[in-house]
Structures are given as C-alpha cells and as structure tokens.
Amino acid sequence: MDFLKIHHTPKLSGSINISGAKNSALPILTATLLSKNPITISNLPNVADVNTLLKLLEILGASYQHIQNNQIHIDTSSVHETRANYDIVRKMRASILVLGPLLARFRHCEVSLPGGCAIGARPVDLHIKALEKMGAQIEIQHGYIVATAPQGLRGANIMFDKITVTGTENLLMAAALAKGKTKIINAAKEPEVVQLCEILKDAGVEIEGIGTSELEIQGSDGELLDMQDICVIADRIEAGTYLCAGAITNSSITLHHVIPHHLEAITDKLEEIGFGFEISQDSLTLLPATKRKAFELITTEYPGFPTDMQAQFMALALVCEGTSTIEERLFENRFMHVNELQRMGANITLKGHTATIIGEEELKGADVMATDLRASSALILAGLVAQDCTQIHRIYHLDRGYEGLEEKLRSLGASVQRLKEK
Ligand code: UD1
C-alpha cells in the first residue's frame, strides 16, 4: 500500500490542467450499455473508479481499447452478462449506475447492493422505488438487487423524495429505452446530470427540461440508441480542490481546462473569504488575499455548495482569521476528516451536522489516515501548511478520484512523494 509524504510548502505557483470529471465519466460509461454502436470517449480521467467501472463493463461482455491517454473506444454490443458482482460493486458504490441501463436493455439484471459506505448509510431505495414505478419487479435476494421487467420498462411519473444524483442518472438511462414518456420531478441538476442528458439527446432521445428539476424523457421502446462520440466535461471538484491548495498557501495558481461557470459556488465562497480571480473562457487564476476571513458554509445540491468540497474548505478554514462554521446537509457522517485534522492540531468542534473551526492555530505535521476520497484531499491541504512533514496513509481513497495527483501538486511547487508502506 502507498502513502504520501508532504513537506511544509509555504507557497505554490504555476499552472495545471484539470482532468475530466469522474462523476460524469461514470454515468457516461454505463450509458454506453444503451448504444447500438461503438463510441469514442475522450477526456476520460485515469482514476481508480473509472478503471473499476471499465472492469465491470468488461466482465459484462463489453470490449474497449485505449486509443491514447484519456481516450477509449468502447463497444457494448457483445454484452451478454447481466449480473454485477459484489466483488466489483463493493469497491465502488457508483456501480449501481449499471442497474437502469441493464434493466432497460435486457429486461432483467442482478446488481449487488453497494456495501456500507464510510460517509453514511447511502441507501439506494429511491433508485429501486422509481424503477418499480416504471414496471420493474425488484427483490433483494442474498445481497443482490434482482430486477425484472418482462414486458420492458414503461414511462411513469417519478417524484424523488430527495434529490439524488446517481438516482436521477439511473432513471434517465432507464427512461431513454422505456416505452412512452417518463417525467422525473425533483431531479438533480448537477452539471454531470446535464452532460448525461445532452448525450442522450445527441443520441436521438427527446428530453425536455435539461438543467431543471423537472425532466421529461420520451423513451425509444427498447430500441438501442445511436450514440455519438463523447468528451467528458472538466472535473469541478478536482478544480475546486486545487483552488483550495492555492488558497490555503495564499498563492496565485492557474487552472486550465475548467468550466468556470460550474465552479461558481466555490469561487463565490473563495471571494467571500478574500481571494480574487482572473477568469477566461476555460481557465481560472486564483489571486492571493490580503486577509482571509472566516466564513459560514452549508452544503446543498447544485447550484449550491457541493458536499464534495466540504472537507477541503474545512482545511482552508484552519488558516482563516476567526471562527468558521460548516454545516453538512447531504450526508450524515461526512466529518471523518475532523479527527485526522485534530491530530495535526486543528481546533474543530462538532455538534450534530455542524463543525465549528477556529482559525490560525498552528498546524503540525503528523501521521494521518485517509478515510474517504474528499476527506483525504483535506489532509493534503493541511499538510501543505503544517510544520515539518505529514504522512497520509491509505491513499487508495485519493487514487479513486484524482488523476496524477502528485505530478500536479509537484508542478505547482509542492514537495510531495508517494512511498510504499513497509
Ligand atoms: C453523487 C456523487 C457524490 C456526491 C453526491 C452528492 C457520483 C458518482 N457521486 O453521489 O460524489 O457526494 O452525489 O452530491 O456522482 N439517498 C437516499 N436514497 C437513495 C439515494 C440517495 O436516501 O436511493 C440520499 C443519500 O443518502 C444522500 C442524498 O440522498 O443523503 C444524496 O445522495 P445522492 O445524490 O444519491 O448521492 P450519490 O448519487 O450517491
């Protein structure tokens, strides 16, 4: 197993390219199950979660080749297997995204229930209920979701009780091949959901309401889609994480290949803290702050502040003047980084879903443990400003979602090494 060693780095500088969005790449890959023809996908991030999903698609019978870095050619016409095994699904919860497309295409499938998740219960009941409304019969047997729809799925009115990103994506893909019209009310509006809608639309599916919380999808009645080549959108969470690296060291750094408009909740919060920006069409330069003010933050669905950036902003609060508060509204147990930051001397108290962070305490390097993907990036940020050296263990969590992490950090001037645990 690898660990990361980070030395105190007072300033960063320079520029990096942001990779394709993991959370867009995953539904795009499962959407290829709906395609009648092979597809080229570019700007595909080389991260563990994407590779896990490619492995799952291969087990189902798909074939793919890397044409060049970050570009694959994938053919799902030979898919014959409809069982997504526990061994793969337990590695990545987002494997649940095969449920909608497999059921829509083959009229039956078995998908292992995702295991417990470090950031709370994260059930999939909303996915299941919505597919049942579309005519599926679903039972849980031996830890598997066993779904059948012998007559095919049919359009329905689906009202999600809670906004769910992968739930909306699963339903979109199921609805694309269903008979008749599906209406999704209280749909997620994240840019990754919008990209999936655009891809389905380019494949000939009529979709109304793209980017709103009400989507109407006219299904193809079982006919596979004529999908076009796809370029994955930029990863707003990766971009936000590097902006926080610039912010915690109060540096000027530039990010290329970003979609600034997707980053507004993040850049607005950084402006409130005291930073400035130079923004062009697809790049963003962070300008240092004269004073970094404490802030209040509440995580919500897009276009609100993303839960996937909560941990990084908590690290940033550690260097701000005054007391910041962060309220986590989406997941019940997404404060696992708090204990680890405390080991580095952070002054953070937790009450229910709210963390109170007292800034400007001196952080000291320590051995810390990555607990989930985004929590781990908060530890890197804290490591940049902590005295001496910080060692982050269990970094396989980081490898799930950050492409070329050390290379990118190093090209910004950070002193970071990947080493093997003894
Ligand atoms: C996606 C993102 C993840 C992000 C999250 C919230 C991907 C691959 N992952 O996760 O990075 O943190 O959105 O922006 O895109 N819920 C239920 N029942 C369900 C489904 C969800 O109760 O059937 C609850 C969840 O427990 C959570 C809330 O709804 O409290 C939102 O979760 P959801 O949007 O589904 O998260 P994911 O799609 O898993």
Side-chain angles (χ1 to χ4, degrees):
M1 223 188 288
D2 295 348
F3 70 100
L4 274 191
K5 191 168 184 176
I6 300 175
H7 289 275
H8 176 78
T9 310
K11 277 278 177 236
L12 299 179
S13 62
S15 64
I16 51 168
N17 292 334
I18 294 303
S19 300
K22 166 182 90 69
N23 285 357
S24 213
L26 299 176
I28 286 171
L29 285 171
T30 58
T32 64
L33 287 165
L34 307 175
S35 180
K36 65 169 84 138
N37 43 280
I39 306 154
T40 299
I41 305 176
S42 26
N43 206 29
L44 189 71
N46 182 10
V47 293
D49 274 8
V50 164
N51 295 327
T52 299
L53 191 52
L54 281 170
K55 177 102 197 131
L56 173 56
L57 292 173
E58 205 172 30
I59 291 171
L60 296 176
S63 61
Y64 68 91
Q65 303 85 41
H66 281 277
I67 304 172
Q68 48 180 305
N69 281 346
N70 304 112
Q71 194 181 48
I72 63 159
H73 190 65
I74 182 160
D75 185 353
T76 63
S77 61
S78 49
V79 167
H80 52 277
E81 181 61 60
T82 55
R83 183 176 163 96
N85 270 320
Y86 175 71
D87 279 352
I88 290 267
V89 178
R90 76 187 165 87
K91 288 194 186 142
M92 186 185 61
R93 216 193 104 77
S95 314
I96 191 70
L97 282 166
V98 296
L99 178 64
L102 282 179
L103 182 59
R105 175 165 161 189
F106 296 100
R107 300 186 172 192
H108 63 88
C109 68
E110 295 173 27
V111 179
S112 170
L113 278 168
C117 179
I119 60 171
R122 299 188 83 171
V124 289
D125 55 315
L126 300 173
H127 302 232
I128 291 175
K129 260 197 251 167
L131 289 168
E132 281 175 338
K133 264 205 117 181
M134 295 182 75
Q137 288 152 19
I138 301 187
E139 284 176 30
I140 307 297
Q141 288 176 6
H142 310 291
Y144 279 75
I145 303 166
V146 180
T148 52
Q151 313 304 321
L153 294 172
R154 51 170 195 271
N157 279 357
I158 313 288
M159 160 81 189
F160 277 123
D161 293 341
K162 263 189 191 176
I163 299 176
T164 160
V165 174
T166 48
T168 303
E169 291 164 347
N170 242 334
L171 252 283
L172 270 165
M173 293 185 278
L177 252 57
K179 185 182 175 70
K181 192 180 269 186
T182 299
K183 192 167 180 177
I184 308 178
I185 302 158
N186 209 22
K189 295 183 286 194
E190 270 65 5
E192 297 76 21
V193 175
V194 171
Q195 175 160 48
L196 179 63
C197 288
E198 300 286 1
I199 285 164
L200 294 173
K201 200 174 168 194
D202 288 347
V205 181
E206 278 174 42
I207 306 185
E208 279 174 40
I210 296 179
T212 74
S213 55
E214 266 193 46
L215 296 168
E216 268 189 30
I217 307 108
Q218 183 65 48
S220 71
D221 196 6
E223 197 184 320
L224 290 179
L225 308 177
D226 190 8
M227 285 179 72
Q228 311 296 306
D229 292 346
I230 299 163
C231 179
V232 179
I233 57 169
D235 195 318
R236 61 197 168 98
I237 305 302
E238 189 200 16
T241 303
Y242 286 106
L243 286 178
C244 282
I248 204 165
T249 52
N250 206 12
S251 309
S252 180
I253 59 163
T254 299
L255 308 182
H256 297 297
H257 300 173
V258 292
I259 305 172
H261 149 73
H262 290 168
L263 287 161
E264 269 167 18
I266 297 164
T267 50
D268 283 359
K269 194 51 75 181
L270 287 169
E271 275 176 344
E272 192 187 310
I273 295 171
F275 296 95
F277 287 97
E278 273 168 14
I279 301 177
S280 72
Q281 206 189 343
D282 69 349
S283 65
L284 196 61
T285 299
L286 175 82
L287 306 173
T290 40
K291 176 179 157 168
R292 293 179 286 187
K293 294 183 290 245
F295 57 91
E296 284 175 20
L297 183 158
I298 298 173
T299 64
T300 49
E301 295 87 2
Y302 190 86
F305 190 91
T307 174
D308 287 351
M309 283 302 302
Q310 180 257 102
Q312 299 88 319
F313 269 74
M314 189 177 297
L316 179 57
L318 298 171
V319 299
C320 291
E321 276 179 42
T323 303
S324 300
T325 58
I326 296 184
E327 189 182 333
E328 172 57 56
R329 291 239 179 119
L330 289 189
F331 294 110
E332 77 248 36
N333 188 20
R334 210 175 199 182
F335 280 134
M336 313 246 286
H337 40 289
V338 170
N339 278 338
E340 302 303 306
L341 291 171
Q342 283 166 338
R343 287 170 59 78
M344 300 173 74
N347 189 341
I348 305 173
T349 44
L350 272 184
K351 197 168 175 198
H353 295 290
T354 304
T356 304
I357 306 108
I358 299 180
E360 295 189 295
E361 299 272 344
E362 198 157 29
L363 296 178
K364 297 185 178 62
D367 280 278
V368 287
M369 196 81 87
T371 49
D372 78 41
L373 171 54
R374 306 305 171 185
S376 330
S377 54
L379 303 178
I380 295 188
L381 301 180
L384 291 172
V385 288
Q387 287 171 0
D388 308 321
C389 151
T390 298
Q391 301 197 129
I392 307 178
H393 303 273
R394 295 204 187 157
I395 54 163
Y396 54 83
H397 287 290
L398 283 163
D399 295 333
R400 286 186 40 215
Y402 289 95
E403 183 175 46
L405 180 75
E406 305 97 90
E407 290 78 13
K408 289 189 189 186
L409 282 168
R410 258 188 240 127
S411 67
L412 292 173
S415 166
V416 41
Q417 288 164 280
R418 180 183 287 255
L419 299 162
K420 290 254 174 264
E421 302 275 8
K422 286 199 182 106

